[in-house]
């Protein structure tokens, strides 16, 4: 599986339940990368999405300890499940996904739960620090090496690169 995230220079990913900043180019990249694939996210990240709904065109698995099991929003564009433990997520991937790509899409709790299972990280790295952040991507540089460095981009006053890391 692969983790996909936007991080700042200190690995910050969020503040007060929201993303750090809006980067239209990164949203295009996220959509292009994950469309038609399975995306795993925490319940707080689901709540932060527009209308608290999963992203269209992806099979979304939401991790929550609360009892909300069952398929949700299966109207042709939204679909997915709540699962209640990381073990259930891993069993679902093993039994149902059959080798297709799976993306860990946050937030902090979910990145921490699955980092050890990831073989690749796709990180949009901001050349900027957000001192008010309260959510962080886990330390990864001890386990991963930079495999592909993307071009320097600038949007809304933020400079960033989209980089790929592989397990060292
Ligand atoms: N920069 C990025 O790329 C990026 C991406 C995604 C999110 N974010 C940001 O990250 C922040 C949210 O991160 P977060 O860590 O607070 O929340 P989160 O990881 O999105 O969700 C946490 C929730 O996941 C469920 N959960 C966690 N561990 C579990 C376990 N072992 N078994 C079952 N369920 C479990 C719980 O849901 P219940 O409470 O329902 O039990 C928990 O409250 C927001 O600011 C968001 O904007 C940033």
């Amino acid at each position: 599986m692969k983790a996909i995230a936007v991080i700042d220079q200190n690995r910050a990913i969020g503040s007060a339940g929201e993303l750090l900043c809006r980067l239209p180019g990164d949203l295009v990249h996220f959509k292009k990368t994950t469309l038609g694939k399975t995306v795993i996210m925490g319940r707080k990240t689901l709540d932060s999405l527009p209308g608290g709904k999963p992203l269209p065109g992806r099979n979304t698995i939401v991790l929550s300890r609360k009892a909300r099991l069952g398929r949700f929003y299966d109207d042709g564009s939204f679909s997915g499940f709540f699962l209640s433990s990381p073990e259930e997520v891993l069993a679902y991937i093993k039994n149902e996904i059959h080798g297709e790509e799976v993306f860990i899409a946050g937030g902090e709790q979910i990145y921490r739960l699955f980092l050890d299972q990831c073989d690749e990280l796709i990180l949009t790295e901001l050349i900027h620090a957000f001192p008010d952040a309260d959510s962080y991507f886990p330390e990864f540089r001890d386990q991963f090496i930079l495999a592909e460095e993307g071009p320097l981009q600038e949007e809304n006053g933020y400079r960033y690169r989209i980089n790929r890391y592989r397990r060292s």
Side-chain angles (χ1 to χ4, degrees), residues 12-27:
I13 61 165
S15 177
E18 301 294 330
L19 295 174
L20 297 171
C21 58
R22 295 283 152 198
L23 299 173
D26 178 71
L27 293 180

Side-chain angles (χ1 to χ4, degrees), residues 5-6 13-15 17-19 42-45 63-66 68 84-86 105-111 113 135:
V6 182
I13 61 165
S15 177
E18 301 294 330
L19 295 174
R43 191 268 306 163
K44 291 187 181 174
T45 292
L63 206 47
S64 170
R65 294 188 182 86
K66 293 167 193 157
R68 305 173 213 216
S84 58
S85 72
E108 175 174 339
Q109 293 182 41
I110 277 29
Y111 291 131
L113 279 174
S135 304

Side-chain angles (χ1 to χ4, degrees), residues 5-9 11-13 123-126 137 140-141:
V6 182
I7 68 172
D8 84 349
Q9 287 177 333
R11 284 184 283 107
I13 61 165
L123 298 180
T124 298
E125 296 192 66
L126 290 154
F137 195 84
F140 62 93
R141 293 184 197 276

Side-chain angles (χ1 to χ4, degrees), residues 4-6 19-35 48-50 55-56 58 124 153 155-156 160 162:
I4 184 164
V6 182
L19 295 174
L20 297 171
C21 58
R22 295 283 152 198
L23 299 173
D26 178 71
L27 293 180
V28 170
H29 149 74
F30 182 87
K31 186 171 181 182
K32 193 172 142 202
T33 306
T34 59
L35 208 60
S48 77
L49 296 177
L55 300 161
R58 280 145 278 198
T124 298
Q153 304 184 54
E155 278 185 313
N156 293 342
Y160 65 95
I162 301 177

Side-chain angles (χ1 to χ4, degrees), residues 8-163:
D8 84 349
Q9 287 177 333
N10 302 314
R11 284 184 283 107
I13 61 165
S15 177
E18 301 294 330
L19 295 174
L20 297 171
C21 58
R22 295 283 152 198
L23 299 173
D26 178 71
L27 293 180
V28 170
H29 149 74
F30 182 87
K31 186 171 181 182
K32 193 172 142 202
T33 306
T34 59
L35 208 60
K37 310 280 170 52
T38 294
V39 171
I40 315 285
M41 66 176 65
R43 191 268 306 163
K44 291 187 181 174
T45 292
L46 176 72
D47 286 351
S48 77
L49 296 177
K53 291 182 176 182
L55 300 161
R58 280 145 278 198
N59 178 39
T60 304
I61 307 301
V62 179
L63 206 47
S64 170
R65 294 188 182 86
K66 293 167 193 157
R68 305 173 213 216
L69 302 182
R71 186 171 273 273
F72 58 104
Y73 303 121
D74 189 7
D75 65 356
S77 58
F78 299 103
S79 74
F81 293 92
F82 283 101
L83 291 176
S84 58
S85 72
E87 293 74 23
E88 282 181 17
V89 172
L90 293 174
Y92 173 83
I93 291 168
K94 186 168 173 231
N95 298 325
E96 308 291 339
I97 301 297
H98 308 300
E100 289 159 43
E101 281 182 304
V102 173
F103 292 92
I104 304 299
E108 175 174 339
Q109 293 182 41
I110 277 29
Y111 291 131
R112 289 191 186 284
L113 279 174
F114 292 105
L115 186 76
D116 286 349
Q117 319 285 332
C118 290
D119 47 31
E120 187 174 332
L121 310 179
I122 304 170
L123 298 180
T124 298
E125 296 192 66
L126 290 154
I127 303 168
H128 192 85
F130 289 82
D132 295 334
D134 56 17
S135 304
Y136 290 83
F137 195 84
E139 176 54 62
F140 62 93
R141 293 184 197 276
D142 51 343
Q143 299 179 55
F144 293 86
I145 49 165
L146 183 63
E148 257 179 68
E149 187 177 58
L152 188 61
Q153 304 184 54
E154 182 160 357
E155 278 185 313
N156 293 342
Y158 297 109
R159 289 185 300 145
Y160 65 95
R161 293 179 192 273
I162 301 177
N163 297 329

